[in-house]
């Protein structure tokens, strides 16, 4: 779904074509090409400013749209109101480890990082960039695992249907 003020009013949306003899035909055609390339259908069928549809709602699945209306403007464009059926679901996750950052021992982590930096500085002539990065990454990961407590968490979000006005 893509929506907004496109300010390209020289398109006949009834047949998705550029209106002949109007300014910027290539720009208007470019928008039509993008919509076609991405399988998007423009669903606003009423003008949003004077006699033009400048504010668009483009959907890859227009059958999800229950209704589209224009409401009185706040500025110089009518407002698009749409009711769209969307369904979200998330499967139950396996228990996974999450860090409890508010209980972290930041002083010890800072001390570990300072020691790592000092070691890298002392051995900078002996180590290439890959070894320095691997050393930094390993030491940082070890410090995080050592000084930030964790807990197991399993999330379950039920499937629910939502209607969003846009």
């Amino acid at each position: 779904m893509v929506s907004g003020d496109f300010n390209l009013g020289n398109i006949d949306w009834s047949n998705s074509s550029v209106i002949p003899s109007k300014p910027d035909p290539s720009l208007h055609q470019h928008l039509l090409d993008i919509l076609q390339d991405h399988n998007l259908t423009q669903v606003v069928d009423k003008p949003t400013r004077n006699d033009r549809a400048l504010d668009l709602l483009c959907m890859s699945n227009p059958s999800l749209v229950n209704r589209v209306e224009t409401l009185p403007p706040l500025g110089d464009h009518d407002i698009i109101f749409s009711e769209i059926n969307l369904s979200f679901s998330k499967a139950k996750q396996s228990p996974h480890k999450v860090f409890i950052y508010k209980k972290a021992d930041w002083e010890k982590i800072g001390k570990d990082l300072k020691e790592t930096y000092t070691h890298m500085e002392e051995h900078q002539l002996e180590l290439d960039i890959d070894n320095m990065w691997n050393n930094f990454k390993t030491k940082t990961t070890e410090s995080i695992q050592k000084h930030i407590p964790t807990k197991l968490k399993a999330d379950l979000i039920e499937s629910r249907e939502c209607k969003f006005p846009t």
Side-chain angles (χ1 to χ4, degrees), residues 46-114:
K46 298 175 182 148
T48 60
R49 183 167 189 226
N50 300 328
D51 63 341
R52 299 178 179 185
L54 302 180
D55 303 88
L56 310 178
L57 173 60
C58 306
M59 304 280 298
S60 61
N61 188 351
S63 67
L64 296 176
V65 178
N66 285 343
R67 66 182 177 143
V68 176
E69 297 177 15
T70 57
L71 303 175
L74 290 176
D76 60 348
H77 292 233
D78 289 348
I79 298 168
I80 297 174
F81 173 85
S82 61
E83 189 176 273
I84 301 168
N85 290 324
L86 299 176
S87 178
F88 299 98
S89 64
K90 184 177 179 181
K92 184 178 178 178
Q93 291 183 352
S94 307
H96 58 283
K97 182 168 68 168
V98 294
F99 290 101
I100 308 169
Y101 291 102
K102 65 183 176 185
K103 293 185 178 181
D105 190 337
W106 296 109
E107 285 184 28
K108 288 182 180 174
I109 292 172
K111 182 180 175 214
D112 289 349
L113 291 175
K114 190 169 187 170

Side-chain angles (χ1 to χ4, degrees), residues 148-159:
I148 302 178
T150 61
K151 66 178 178 181
L152 284 179
K153 183 176 181 184
D155 297 324
L156 174 63
I157 298 177
E158 298 174 9
S159 176

